[in-house]
Amino acid sequence: FKDLLYPLPVGDMFMVGRRSAERLRSLGFFKIGDIATADEVTLKRIFGENGRVLWQNVNGFNYSPVMPFDYREAYKSIGNGATFKRDLVNPKDVRTCVFFLCDKVAARLRKHNYECSALQVGIKDTHFQTIQRSSQLSSPTDLSYDLRNAVLSLIEANFDIEKEPIRSLTVTGTKLLNGDEVCEQISFLDLDYHKKREKEERLEHTKDDIRHKYGLDILTRCSFIHNEFGF
């Protein structure tokens, strides 16, 4: 492998981008072999932790544990965002696009068997200024019904759509919990909410089954058909 790799230009190495390659060449590292024969401490002093990783990679050292082929790290958050074909200028526009994003986020939560216990919303206006707001949910959820209500409340409390149009939105579920481990405390003071939530659970899982069998576009909301926002 040394005969094959060491003569190659330093810019051909994995993890070395254009700017990194320029800096390496300015310091006398022109070929991959130059990194391999360099002092690890020197590389770390110049490039920080990335320098140490570069030296280890080019010399064939890797201390990460062996993982199954299909191993995936646990998600820390699950979200979706969109920049729209036209600005959102009224509450109806916001509601339509929030429903779209929350449907996407909730479906991904269920697909990976997670429920989120907090939400983060990113709002970018027409001046490309972005504000981010977050809130704790009353209970963990993987339902678009719960997500969209929380997102709409966050936007209403922190952004005046009548004064400033919205260019793009991002909705992210955070503080994820494994769906098999979530326990919900049912309140005897709000049984109607839990009945409605059970109905929403059946509805959304039925949608998942139909889309899995016939395709993602087989079911959609009427407000999404021929919309002006690009989704």
Side-chain angles (χ1 to χ4, degrees):
F1 79 94
K2 293 181 181 180
D3 294 338
L4 177 67
L5 296 180
Y6 283 13
L8 295 177
V10 69
D12 287 357
M13 185 175 172
F14 179 65
M15 290 180 60
V16 176
R18 179 178 58 82
R19 295 183 65 181
S20 297
E22 290 175 356
R23 189 175 182 197
L24 283 165
R25 286 192 292 268
S26 71
L27 296 170
F29 299 97
F30 296 97
K31 299 184 182 299
I32 291 178
D34 296 334
I35 298 177
T37 56
D39 178 56
E40 179 184 3
V41 176
T42 301
L43 285 172
K44 184 176 180 181
R45 185 173 66 250
I46 298 172
F47 295 101
E49 185 63 18
N50 286 338
R52 184 183 68 83
V53 173
L54 281 176
W55 185 89
Q56 289 184 346
N57 286 348
V58 79
N59 282 286
F61 298 116
N62 190 322
Y63 301 102
S64 59
V66 177
M67 296 294 183
F69 175 75
D70 58 351
Y71 172 79
R72 297 290 183 273
E73 288 190 8
Y75 285 89
K76 295 181 180 179
S77 64
I78 289 178
N80 271 91
T83 299
F84 308 108
K85 278 190 174 181
R86 74 161 174 83
D87 299 333
L88 314 186
V89 296
N90 56 54
K92 182 180 178 181
D93 289 350
V94 173
R95 187 176 179 84
T96 298
C97 294
V98 165
F99 275 36
F100 171 77
L101 292 175
C102 288
D103 279 352
K104 295 288 187 182
V105 174
R108 291 181 60 204
L109 285 167
R110 293 191 298 273
K111 178 181 178 181
H112 298 290
N113 194 30
Y114 283 110
E115 295 189 20
C116 65
S117 53
L119 269 179
Q120 180 174 289
V121 179
I123 307 169
K124 183 179 290 186
D125 63 23
T126 53
H127 303 292
F128 299 99
Q129 300 296 315
T130 301
I131 66 169
Q132 290 190 337
R133 296 293 183 269
S134 58
S135 68
Q136 188 78 21
L137 299 175
S138 58
S139 60
T141 186
D142 58 3
L143 302 179
S144 61
Y145 165 77
D146 293 324
L147 299 184
R148 64 186 183 241
N149 288 341
V151 170
L152 288 171
S153 295
L154 268 177
I155 294 175
E156 184 178 351
N158 294 280
F159 198 89
D160 189 348
I161 189 65
E162 303 292 351
K163 293 183 178 180
E164 183 66 56
I166 291 175
R167 189 77 190 94
S168 67
L169 280 174
T170 302
V171 175
T172 306
T174 61
K175 297 185 179 179
L176 303 186
L177 302 171
N178 187 297
D180 297 329
E181 300 173 357
V182 173
C183 295
E184 182 183 2
Q185 179 64 51
I186 297 177
S187 170
F188 289 107
L189 303 178
D190 195 7
L191 292 179
D192 288 341
Y193 163 76
H194 295 288
K195 290 179 180 178
K196 183 172 179 60
R197 196 168 189 275
E198 288 176 359
K199 182 179 178 180
E200 289 291 333
E201 284 180 350
R202 292 195 300 271
L203 174 62
E204 297 205 20
H205 284 288
T206 300
K207 288 194 304 183
D208 290 342
D209 293 339
I210 293 173
R211 286 170 173 167
H212 178 73
K213 186 173 183 179
Y214 297 105
L216 295 177
D217 297 329
I218 197 68
L219 283 177
T220 191
R221 292 180 176 273
C222 292
S223 58
F224 298 167
I225 298 173
H226 304 307
N227 69 83
E228 302 173 336
F229 308 110
F231 54 77

